[in-house]
Amino acid sequence: MSTTTLTTENGTPEHEDSESWAAEVRRLARERDAVILAHNYQRPEIQDIADHVGDSLALSRLAAQVEASTIVFCGVHFMAETAKILAPEKTVLLPEPAAGCSLADTITAEDVRAWKAEHPGAVVVAYVNTTAAVKAETDVCCTSSNAADVIRSIPEDKEILFLPDQFLGAHVRRVTGRDNIRVWMGECHVHAGIDGATLRERVAEEPDAELYVHPECGCATSALYLVGAGTVPQERVRVLSTGGMVTAAKETRADKVLVATETGMLHQLRAANPGTVFEPVNGRAECRYMKMITAGKLLTALRDGVTEITVPPEIADHARRSVEAMVAIGSPSRGGE
Ligand code: 13P
Ligand code: SF4
């Protein structure tokens, strides 16, 4: 019997025999002609059973390319919506429809319309962590792995409205050197909680460790300040998407890496490089929405075909233009740097 522990949302064991669970998931997926996509923040057992694990951009690209007629999206609601927008002919299932996103909740389509009215002619760039209705109001999407490339694709003299993440917005301003970017002041409760004070404490405890920082983190500016102040050498600090972190983990020769993002990420990093120790900057940084997808819910999703995610065609058509503009630009190998 496998040693993987399958847990419910509150952490109690869910299935005694993880091998029979895995076999049943695989059988049902074949029967339903389904592919299982999982984000890097999913529970370890969900990552291990998935056909593909990745960051938002990689999963969006896969949703558009896979041949299966059904996509079971183990992630949060906006990700399943994005898959549906890019693959309208496919059935997209989200094992827990209440798996939302505190960042996506910081802006509505009406907010975007009002903001655009204040800045006519501006190009609206939306992080993919937004609802389909918000995406439909924007010109181009981005993820943490291609945000800077998306900004660079817009003529220098064009004003940009960047939404909804203030920390990613500050990061793209910094790396592109542009000052005509207005940023919506939203944040993700998980990443905002990984703040500068926590990072400085961890760096003082582990002065020789490398640092991987997701650009949504409250500590992204502090990390670069530590470089500027000479506390940490520049080559030891990387600002990366979750997919960029896996690529960096495969290449690093460091003994230890401190990771500033949601703790689900550690599963992929440890698998990518067993010779390096990966530790969280903040071990309490857990996204409760991502963790709503449990072994039992994945099984039910496959068995009963629930919950199907749909996007009204008019919204989907507008949102698709914005998402496809992003998919055409992004270069996943560059990570968030
Ligand atoms: P990535 O695009 O880096 O996978 O991040 C997605 C996300 O939800 C971050 O919280
Ligand atoms: Fe949303 Fe934050 Fe969870 Fe990512 S970690 S899905 S941004 S709430």
Side-chain angles (χ1 to χ4, degrees):
M1 191 192 296
S2 155
T3 52
T4 313
T5 310
L6 308 177
T7 53
T8 61
E9 267 178 65
N10 61 18
T12 52
E14 185 165 46
H15 288 261
E16 283 184 5
D17 179 353
S18 60
E19 270 184 12
S20 63
W21 169 79
E24 186 63 356
V25 167
R26 297 288 11 139
R27 188 186 70 76
L28 290 168
R30 268 194 309 278
E31 202 174 276
R32 199 171 271 287
D33 185 29
V35 65
I36 303 171
L37 304 184
H39 188 264
N40 287 316
Y41 297 162
Q42 289 289 294
R43 293 165 183 270
E45 61 267 33
I46 302 291
Q47 296 191 28
D48 290 346
I49 196 84
D51 295 295
H52 303 280
V53 184
D55 66 11
S56 304
L57 181 61
L59 296 177
S60 299
R61 287 175 186 271
L62 279 162
Q65 286 163 7
V66 289
E67 282 183 5
S69 58
T70 295
I71 295 171
V72 181
F73 211 113
C74 297
V76 293
H77 195 274
F78 76 80
M79 294 181 175
E81 271 190 340
T82 307
K84 183 67 187 175
I85 289 164
L86 286 170
E89 73 292 353
K90 293 185 176 128
T91 301
V92 176
L93 303 178
L94 180 61
E96 172 48 74
C101 169
S102 64
L103 177 56
D105 285 347
T106 63
I107 192 161
T108 64
E110 262 171 43
D111 291 332
V112 185
R113 282 193 289 271
W115 205 23
K116 286 197 294 191
E118 284 170 30
H119 302 279
V123 177
V124 185
V125 180
Y127 191 32
V128 282
N129 295 40
T130 42
T131 62
V134 164
K135 287 185 180 80
E137 295 293 336
T138 67
D139 296 301
V140 57
C141 284
C142 72
T143 72
S144 55
S145 81
N146 66 6
D149 290 327
V150 168
I151 297 292
R152 288 188 191 106
S153 75
I154 298 166
E156 285 278 337
D157 58 336
K158 278 276 183 195
E159 186 179 25
I160 293 173
L161 303 181
F162 186 92
L163 62 92
D165 189 72
Q166 57 174 302
F167 298 114
L168 182 61
H171 176 67
V172 294
R173 255 198 196 141
R174 201 165 37 225
V175 299
T176 63
R178 279 176 79 142
D179 53 13
N180 59 350
I181 308 177
R182 292 178 188 272
V183 177
W184 190 261
M185 295 306 277
E187 62 180 30
C188 149
H189 71 291
V190 181
H191 285 89
I194 310 174
D195 57 19
T198 315
L199 180 78
R200 284 192 294 277
E201 241 171 65
R202 294 291 283 126
V203 168
E205 284 164 10
E206 304 284 356
D208 299 324
E210 278 187 1
L211 270 182
Y212 295 174
V213 180
H214 195 277
E216 270 182 39
C217 284
C219 66
T221 305
S222 299
L224 298 170
Y225 177 81
L226 291 174
V227 171
T231 312
V232 187
Q234 179 153 24
E235 62 278 10
R236 271 206 252 132
V237 178
R238 314 279 307 272
V239 180
L240 298 162
S241 69
T242 63
M245 287 184 187
V246 177
T247 306
K250 286 179 185 153
E251 291 162 3
T252 187
R253 306 214 178 250
D255 292 332
K256 188 171 276 191
V257 177
L258 298 178
V259 183
T261 194
E262 208 271 353
T263 54
M265 188 69 236
L266 296 165
H267 186 61
Q268 286 299 314
L269 298 179
R270 288 169 180 159
N273 184 347
T276 295
V277 174
F278 295 92
E279 283 183 3
V281 167
N282 179 348
R284 293 179 311 282
E286 202 174 82
C287 175
R288 69 185 173 87
Y289 302 112
M290 286 282 181
K291 284 3 184 211
M292 283 179 177
I293 313 296
T294 61
K297 284 185 184 157
L298 174 56
L299 202 61
T300 307
L302 281 162
R303 195 181 50 222
D304 300 343
V306 291
T307 293
E308 186 170 351
I309 300 302
T310 55
V311 180
E314 205 184 294
I315 288 181
D317 288 347
H318 283 96
R320 188 173 305 113
R321 283 206 291 268
S322 186
V323 178
E324 283 181 347
M326 164 191 87
V327 171
I329 293 166
S331 159
S333 59
R334 293 179 62 159
E337 294 179 321

